[in-house]
Amino acid sequence: MARVLALSLTSLRMAGVPPDRLDLLARSGLFPLEEVRLRALADLYRRFHEAIEGQLADPPTILRTAAAHLAQATWLHGTRVVIVEDLELESLERDFVAALARSFPVVRVEREVSKPLLARSFGIWAASQGIVSVPWETTPLGPIAPPEPHAGLRRLRTGLFAAPDGPAIRDGAVELLTAAGEAAEVRAIVRRLLRQAARGVPFEEMGIVLPRPEEYAPLFSDTLARCGIPFRLHPSLPLRTGRAARSLLLLLRCRGLSRPAVLEFLTFAPVRYEAILGLGSGPTLASWEEASRNAGITDGIDRWRHGLGVYVRGKRREAEGQDVETRLAGALRRADEAEALLKVVEALAATLETLAGEASWREWSARLSAAFDGWVGEERDRRSVGDVLSDLAGLSRLAPRAAWAEVEGVVEARLEWERLPMEPPAKGGVHVGALDAIAGLPFRFVAIPGLVEGGYPGPIRPDPFLLDAERVAMATVAAPPSGSRQLSLFDAPSVGSVASLGDALPTSQDRLLEARRLFHRAVGQATESLVLSYPRADPRSGRERLPSLFFVSAASTLEGRPLDMAALGSLLVEDDVRALEIDDAVDVAERDRSRMWRGKSSAAVAIASANPFVKGSLLAWEARSSGRVTPFDGLVELPGHLAQSLDPVAAGRTVSASRLRVFADCGFQYLLRHVLRLEPVEEPEDRMGLDPMERGTAFHEIAEHFLRERRQRGDLPLRNTSAERKHLREIAEEVLAHIVEGSPPRHGLLWDMERARLQDLLDQWLAREVASPRGTPAHFEVGFGVPKASTSGEPHSVEPLEIELSPGRTLRVSGKIDRIDVKADGSLVVRDYKTGRAPKDDGGLFRGGRQLQIPFYVKAAARLFPGRAVSEAFLDYVDGGRMVAFDPARATGEEFVVFLRELVDVLASGLFLQDAAACRFCDFTRVCGPQGLIASRQQRKRRDPRANRLFRLKEAP
Amino acid sequence: MRFLPSDEAARRRARDDHATSLVLAAGAGTGKTTLLVDRIESLVRTGRASLLEIAAVTFTENAAATMKLRLRERLEGTRADASLSEVERGRAAAALEVLERAQVSTLHALCATMLQERPLECGVAPGFRVADESETDAIFAASWDEWLAERLGAADPDLAEAIRAEIPLESAFEFGEKRSLRGLARSLLEQRDLDPILSEAAPDPRAWRRELEGYAARGLALASQVKASDTLAPKLESLAEFSAGARALEGGDLARHLVRIPKIAGRTGQKPKWPSEEALEEGRRIAFWTTEVSAAWKTALGSHLHARLVRSLLGVIRLYEKKKKALGALDFLDLLLEARNALRDSPAVRHYFASRFRYLIVDEFQDTDPLQVQIAELLSQGVPGGLVVVGDAKQSIYRFRRAEVSLLRRLTEDASSRPGHAVLHLTQNFRSRAAILRFVNRAFATLIQASTESDQPAYEAIDPPHDLTDEPSVLQLRFDAPEFSEVRGDLLNAEAAALAAFATRAAEGGFIVRDPSDDGARRSRAGDVMVLAPRLTQIRPLEEALEAAGLRFTVEGGKSFFGRQEVHEALAALRAIDDRSDRASLVGALRSSFFGVRDSDIVAHVLSGGRLFLAGDVFTDATSPSLRQALECLHGLHRQRLHLSVPALVERLYDVTGVLAALTATRRGESQVANLEKVVTLARQASSLGALTLRGFTLLLEERATGLSEEPDLPTTRPGDQGTVRILSIHKAKGLEAPIVALYDQTASLQTRSDVIPLWAEGKVAVGFVEGCRPPGWNGLQERDRARAWAEGRRLLYVACTRARDILVIPRPPADARAGSFWRDLWPFLDASPPSDVVTLEASSLPTSAPSEPRFDMSRVARAEGGDAVAARWSALRRDLVATASERPFVPLSATRFAARAAPPAALSASPAGRDFGSLVHQVLEWIPFDVPEQAAQIAGALGPRFGLDLTATRHAGEQVARALATPLMDRARRAGRVWRELPLWFPEGGEMIEGIVDLVFEESGHLIVVDYKTDGIGDEQAIVQAAHHAPQLQLYGRGLTQATGLPVAERFVLFTALGRAVQV
Ligand code: SF4
């Protein structure tokens, strides 16, 4: 609101409207329905006027004063004035030029303008002021007068926006270009710059005129830089795009200390860590990312302190128990780094504290400058940002105090408004500039992009504060009574109000005419060739877009007749990258793409021989789209000793039952997790509750603890009393508290519900256990093939389970049996706790490997308790309370060995295939890609006998 | 003789009867846009209206642009038409003068115009922005996050209830957002102009329990009289148990318990075991009651939960509104709502716009929603001639965007009975061959039957154009599906193969068609084929079949951007570049198409003790060269991310990896390249959404990718490209036509379920949600809605069939295939049509496309080595070209810098008061008349704010100026004949071009005096040293001035303003 109003009020001042004039209009009765608004506007304008007049040197004041004092400017005596370019002037500006013409000889360089643009143009007005038009050659600028243009360009100068007439001119001087989106359009124009260069036109004599600089300037800047073409932007990009300004904005976003914001700032800004931390060298930022993530920090200084504190202690503890030198050092280093991070965050918090509340602008300026100086180190745009901050002090003239939110808004707006400092030009470069910024400069080659309907000209709307009809009416309302002398800043004699306001206040139609003239002027800047272009598709949605009326006007002027879309279409040029000659390619990407299209295999070989990534990419694409398994989709064939280390049997390594299960689920996941030792990245702020894994672990721990305690006290069989339930809950609380030790739950509600859900589960579990006991719970977490934990007191075997897969190949398996119950007859019941949905209890055996642990447990139990039979085995799905039986006899049968042999053979052969069926509970999708694609590739790979065998194995019941 | 359309009278009236408001019922292909342009031209030419008094409303922005261009052409024609009067031509000329301001736009844009023009009266912020979809998405996301955090923090019981009911808070794996609470919030947001239907009554579980206890007790009593092993009695007993279980419960626990009431089947119980028939009957009544009450209680509880959640979620919408307001933005719905409200509530606004737009023309009226219609009616005020609407109820297919086909019917009924209003029917088709239209008329006269219940309009036949060849033009494409054709995928594959074979035939010129540009007959091309599908989710088989046939194609309107491999890979690479701790992304990047590192190389690296991390020392020990280079490359980009713009960084990634070239080689290459280029576009747009860094961008992208949000795939070729088959959804094809139209997806069934049912008359909306959480009466509403959806399905068929100009291809699966319901209704008409209209083509008779040969010899690629001579030569030439073109006759050097080479050291290097202070002093000294030193303070005060200086600083500046003016030197300047201030100078000096600005130069008896102002805060004692430091610069200026003016320089001064002292140098 304020911005738009300020614009309206400023333009009224520029038009030299005295405040009383608006009052008169409001009271004129011409607009009875609008009186309230007009009166309010008059009032606002009066106050605005009074606040400035005689106080500040705003442009109207300067113009008026200058006009009044021109005659006294002795040092200008003898000056001749040449107006080279027609200008769109506000009325006070015209007054100044008129004054100039009264005191000095002023001439205007003659120019060709098409008739419809003459109305209210500068040329007509200038003539009325006695400013004569002269040919270029007769002015002192004669030597640099632009050459006579080709016919097409001439036609545009004289006929644009007039009724099209005459034979079509297709002399190649004007090209009507289109492309699929702004970026493609920019590339097409850069291609033409290069073509011109090849013709011998220096870059310095090429201009790109941007009707929509906000959109196109960054595009040109990036594309030209990418092609190594020197250029100059008029004006340069907003300061906000520089690193120092971005760093400042990021710093401000750290309020609340949310982890992503803090890390974004710390890893991007040129922070002087050495100074803050007193270190010799900067920190390893990656370790900060890791530490803060693993510490589960989300936001707030308390969480940072707590989380990093627990993390540091954890690392130090880890170091204590470590005897491998490098690991010890690693743990200590991490602890130190996390401490350093905390120190930095504390400092950041302290800085941010200064940036809150209310203060004077001078104070804000000082505080912001201090924050900026303290945090943001040397950068190209640093000085300019510093200036913006120190400039804030000047605002104290307008308001004594400001709240932080307002300050932040002003800083952002200033950084958007101010421009990046420009490097002094070292070479000749292409001029790229806004329509008004480089108006009037002649270039041998000119391109005007962005001429799309709705884009340029944009919507032309009346000023909502003073509508068109009211503007016109201003001219007719009576002049104010004389004697109201205006204050003059320089105490000069009053300039008086503008005699007639008839022309002074531009209406929408005036602005349309002005826009047409601006376009005409831009077109006229070309002396040899001109490119007009528009993007024919929206680069984001692909939606079709049409050329603007200006573009079509230019086209029909050239053709000498009105054009329909089809006729226009036939005049349009669009580059086809596939058909490009390579000399015509803008950059390496285009060059190689066109070669690929045209040269096919030989081009591919040539390109691949210079760029290993292209080679890799081509081979990968071919491999992945084939029906074979390849080294690009999980087939890992390695030289001898390395290959051995993949095969647990050959390496003589013990492998845990759960890892084998992971392999059976998805070989690729096994590869990532257990061979490459990757951890999926989990962002603490995305964490809402317990993930299924954590929930499972928690249940295991609680059940183990509870049952073991009962057993030790001789308190079995279980009872379902309120005291028991209460105790079970207490254990649960303890276990849960441990889980969130480092990072207290962010959302109390979710956490409470999570707890309640787990407690519910435990209650039901206990009830079930009591209602249908399968024996007496006897042993819990019974390990085999793992080192013995000192405290458990359970039967244990450090020896892994050995299963002879084939003569000479023995698989060693470790694991922990969740629980063993003893029945009255002394036989054993083995159980494997599961969370999640139970499968159908259909007597399935190994379920393609997804049910692999239970047979191992049965075998291990049999070995640990010789002489006792395992009479029952279950997968105990605690969530839904379903028990899925496994026939213990199957564990000792040949089919188990056969299954394992096949599975381990696949593993040993280095085949780690992706399996889309497992993606739902896997966090590695950022490695693998969307599930649908994995599934379709998997389908293809089944054509390979090896893959087919594996998938068939996995489909076994 | 000129051809007269069968509906010529209607057309003439539509063009020239300006005093009547019209409803134009325009069938498919009847050339309505031309007619509308004609009417506008006629209004203008006859002087009935000026162009600015007409508002024409189109369905899309593209349609508006097209209409503007046609209008331009039409008016140009009128202006040049010598047969017209001077006055008429003048009017056309005047219209052309204002054409850019003409209100030809979508309704949203019209509303935006009104609001921008009268913001104060409409109650919106002047100068508001229209937030586009990505921005509103971002605002919604922020509102949701804030609401959720706040509600979770406050332990909101409604939220707890939702979680307990296992309603996901945010996106639910494969269902996306829809079935989550966030999805419900979004639906409410989209319908916020309507009141959601909510259950008012809270359930009373205690009353339920009482009821239960009554029935349970009675049931138990009955059961006690029954002989053993009856089937009903034990169930009655368990009902009693269930009832007992409810006794101790209260509140939510009680309600949740009660809805689990065991349902007893009604016909159980064996008569002989019961004491009497009445007793058994009573028992059965209890059984029946359990089923009834179970449903009723569930519904009641569900509606109650729904109401609580909806009320709570309205908080998200309030936040959304607040944030939007703070940003000064309006979204698309706001545009309509605010405009409607202003027109409805403010007589001034209504009056203003009714007289501003005296003629309103609305195209595609069948797809407007009631809000839009209200706006149109408020604008036109029922004045005869003021409103023309054009529409075809049979083509209304945008229910999902709230279109209401019944509105057109209402308006039509109104117009036919109201004076000054009329209904005209356009039935002359200009598009399709007669055989197609006969088939269409035959089929849809049956398929589209008027019904008020389903809002189906009556069918109106369209007349074929007179001058086209009359030959069979509907092609029934029969194809075989293998016997396992009940598997959906197989059926689709078979259909896709048939269509690909057909398209190949078309591409080879197997058919004669009319060229769309000049209607001349010619052989067909691939670009003539447009494939229409009801949905684009099942087009992969078609894509693969076309690929296999070596045909180029483009899919328009697909939304699976985030499901594409290349996008995913780009994201992984960008994450790896940004965050070195993200090793998973690093592996994703390495194996991606960007680098193509083998899995085995990565594994070998790790097994040999190598690390997966971007750091210098890691590269040296990488075993495979390709891995090492990839790691180096990523590390380089990691460092560059700090200095490049995000889009530039993404492009750099593409450049160094050559990924675009590599993908070009693949079959899907073009669309992959387009998608990667779109990533750059998104990076550009991300900065307007607040992303400042690569991280900001990747987070934004990732959020959208994981939220499975829909984002268009880009069509890769230019529309009209001769060699490209177009694939579109039927919705997208609205208003389009093609010589050959083929229908696709025999597995599709009509979707008749909707989640949102608006009840416009009541101003309400039923927003359905997941089972167990729906508004009261949902089932009934859904039932009624289904009929409308079904009717719309028929209209979709109509739209699809009427797009074809010359050939309409309808695939026909074998009779035993399990095809979906969508296209099935057409089949009987294929069978019933005469061979003069419909011919059958057996797909098996078409030559099967040759298996496309591998485009590359991969074994040669694998062995490729030794460099690329072509590329090297290109690069060298390019370097030369750029170097030559960059040459410049001279490069100016700043005088300060040049002089600094020779300057002795300064006493003080920088001015403590700052650059801005110095600038202000200079500016005042430039502007102030030398004879009024007393004004220095005032002028400094006036100019200070422009330099960001506060009062103290400006006062100091004023003082320094006054001090400077008081020096004898300035007194000389005051008396001098000629004075130049801030004089720009360019001059050659020792082979260089120097540029600089001299602060002050004046002429004293044929000599020049040069003065440089310095605001250095030095002490008096330092002045000489400091002046010596500045001396070379003044000497340089002196030389330049002499060159330029020919006058000798007599003296040079440094004027220290802080000291008020001039030192000669
Ligand atoms: S995302 Fe899917 S394919 Fe990739 S590792 Fe995980 S389960 Fe396997």
Side-chain angles (χ1 to χ4, degrees), chain A residues 702-703 706 709-710 720-737 752 755-766:
Chain A
I702 298 163
F706 179 75
E709 220 177 58
R710 290 286 154 281
N720 185 10
T721 63
S722 60
E724 292 296 282
R725 284 196 299 271
K726 183 164 165 264
H727 187 59
L728 192 55
R729 283 172 184 228
E730 284 163 3
I731 298 174
E733 287 299 330
E734 227 170 88
V735 169
L736 289 176
D752 288 348
R755 274 168 49 215
R757 217 177 112 199
L758 189 67
Q759 280 160 0
D760 226 28
L761 169 79
L762 291 167
D763 285 353
Q764 286 169 22
W765 170 74
L766 185 61

Side-chain angles (χ1 to χ4, degrees), chain B residues 51 94 142 381 463 634 660 733 888 1044:
Chain B
L51 186 58
Q381 308 247 304
D463 308 328
L634 284 164
L660 300 183
R888 215 182 156 197

Side-chain angles (χ1 to χ4, degrees), chain A residues 383 387-388 390-391, chain B residues 913-921 947-949:
Chain A
R383 169 103 204 236
D387 285 348
V388 164
S390 62
D391 281 0
Chain B
R915 200 174 54 169
D916 296 325
F917 179 80
S919 306
L920 174 61
V921 171
F947 294 89
L949 295 174

Side-chain angles (χ1 to χ4, degrees), chain A residues 666 668-669 672 914-916 918-919 922-925 928 934:
Chain A
C666 170
F668 197 69
Q669 190 183 138
L672 298 178
Q914 295 175 320
D915 189 338
C919 296
C922 174
D923 295 322
F924 283 119
T925 41
C928 299
I934 300 172

Side-chain angles (χ1 to χ4, degrees), chain B residues 112-246:
Chain B
T113 298
M114 296 196 280
L115 297 174
Q116 297 275 20
E117 199 161 324
R118 306 306 305 263
L120 304 172
E121 296 77 0
C122 295
V124 298
F128 65 83
R129 272 178 315 115
V130 181
D132 66 5
E133 244 163 83
S134 29
E135 195 181 355
T136 49
D137 258 7
I139 302 173
F140 174 71
S143 313
W144 166 260
D145 288 345
E146 189 179 326
W147 177 85
L148 186 63
E150 197 268 325
R151 292 287 77 202
L152 285 173
D156 182 346
D158 299 331
L159 207 53
E161 190 62 41
I163 299 169
R164 219 171 283 127
E166 301 200 341
I167 295 173
L169 295 177
E170 302 186 318
S171 92
F173 202 63
E174 66 264 54
F175 305 115
E177 186 191 71
K178 244 188 163 157
R179 307 229 178 136
S180 69
L181 224 46
R182 194 178 195 262
L184 179 56
R186 197 188 282 276
S187 297
L188 291 168
L189 180 73
E190 285 162 0
Q191 311 293 334
R192 65 184 186 277
D193 55 325
L194 298 172
D195 271 344
I197 295 179
L198 299 178
S199 155
E200 297 300 335
D204 180 0
R206 286 190 182 172
W208 294 354
R209 178 170 57 196
R210 278 196 297 280
E211 199 181 348
L212 167 67
E213 281 168 352
Y215 278 102
R218 184 65 198 137
L220 195 62
L222 286 170
S224 68
Q225 304 163 21
V226 181
K227 292 187 199 132
S229 76
D230 177 64
T231 44
L232 176 57
K235 295 200 168 138
L236 293 174
E237 283 163 3
S238 46
L239 182 68
E241 254 173 57
F242 176 80
S243 166

